[in-house]
Amino acid sequence: MTKLQRVKGVAVGLIMLILGTSMALIGADAAFLIMGLLALTLNIKGIKMLIYYFNMARHMVGGDQILVRGLILFDLGTFTATLTQFPQLYIMGYLLTVHAFSGIIDVMRALEAKHFDSPSWKLNLSTGVINIIIGLSCVVFINSMSTAVYIYSAGIIYSAIIRIVTSFRKTAVVYITPS
């Protein structure tokens, strides 16, 4: 990780930290802000993937998957922007899906890293367990708007802290020497 990438990671983490705490302080009124943020994030990610496809991935093996993922993310972002009724149900569904899926993936990565004696398996395992707990809390409190905002804010704050921590971690570089 270069110094510029580290600075960018810390800056994005601090912005996420400020955004998460401000949404937690606003409370249940932040539901439409969350829906807008979700729509904006999904649209930007979809557009980035489409740009990547048209610039590079169309020449790669399996590059069509980038096109399909970009189109799905862009469509999902546009659909999310149109949702105005019952936003807490959609927010909770989104949070449940994202946190449960990412938690399961993180736990699987941690188990694989532990198998290879990697020192980062503990951080991956804790991230996965916390994501699964957040996903389960979405199921328990599915009808509460203020709880949806607090869960979303806690997820953003936790992601910001993990992003800042990973920005300061030392990265291993593999050197291959010619024989």
Side-chain angles (χ1 to χ4, degrees), residues 12-84:
V12 169
L14 289 175
I15 290 170
M16 288 173 61
L17 198 61
I18 292 169
L19 186 66
T21 53
S22 64
M23 280 194 298
L25 292 175
I26 292 173
D29 296 332
F32 289 107
L33 177 66
I34 291 174
M35 291 299 283
L37 188 64
L38 286 175
L40 183 69
T41 305
L42 289 170
N43 280 333
I44 288 173
K45 182 70 174 173
I47 289 171
K48 282 175 67 175
M49 290 182 91
L50 290 173
I51 289 171
Y52 175 68
Y53 170 77
F54 287 115
N55 285 335
M56 187 178 291
R58 66 182 171 164
H59 303 293
M60 297 173 10
V61 174
D64 295 341
Q65 292 177 0
I66 303 291
L67 174 67
V68 171
R69 279 194 264 161
L71 287 173
I72 288 173
L73 285 175
F74 184 74
D75 288 343
L76 190 59
T78 306
F79 174 70
T80 304
T82 63
L83 299 175
T84 56

Side-chain angles (χ1 to χ4, degrees), residues 40-147:
L40 183 69
T41 305
L42 289 170
N43 280 333
I44 288 173
K45 182 70 174 173
I47 289 171
K48 282 175 67 175
M49 290 182 91
L50 290 173
I51 289 171
Y52 175 68
Y53 170 77
F54 287 115
N55 285 335
M56 187 178 291
R58 66 182 171 164
H59 303 293
M60 297 173 10
V61 174
D64 295 341
Q65 292 177 0
I66 303 291
L67 174 67
V68 171
R69 279 194 264 161
L71 287 173
I72 288 173
L73 285 175
F74 184 74
D75 288 343
L76 190 59
T78 306
F79 174 70
T80 304
T82 63
L83 299 175
T84 56
Q85 292 180 335
F86 308 112
Q88 81 269 7
L89 186 63
Y90 296 115
I91 292 172
M92 286 297 202
Y94 169 80
L95 289 174
L96 170 67
T97 304
V98 167
H99 284 291
F101 182 73
S102 123
I104 291 169
I105 296 296
D106 285 341
V107 167
M108 289 173 33
R109 276 189 189 160
L111 294 176
E112 182 182 15
K114 183 180 179 188
H115 177 73
F116 291 117
D117 295 328
S118 175
S120 67
W121 74 272
K122 293 176 186 173
L123 180 65
N124 286 344
L125 184 66
S126 68
T127 303
V129 168
I130 289 175
N131 274 330
I132 290 172
I133 289 171
I134 290 173
L136 290 176
S137 65
C138 290
V139 173
V140 173
F141 300 109
I142 198 156
N143 289 323
S144 173
M145 176 62 80
S146 61
T147 308

Side-chain angles (χ1 to χ4, degrees), residues 164-178:
I164 291 171
V165 166
T166 20
S167 294
F168 286 116
R169 290 184 73 191
K170 197 176 256 191
T171 55
V173 178
V174 177
Y175 292 102
I176 301 174
T177 57

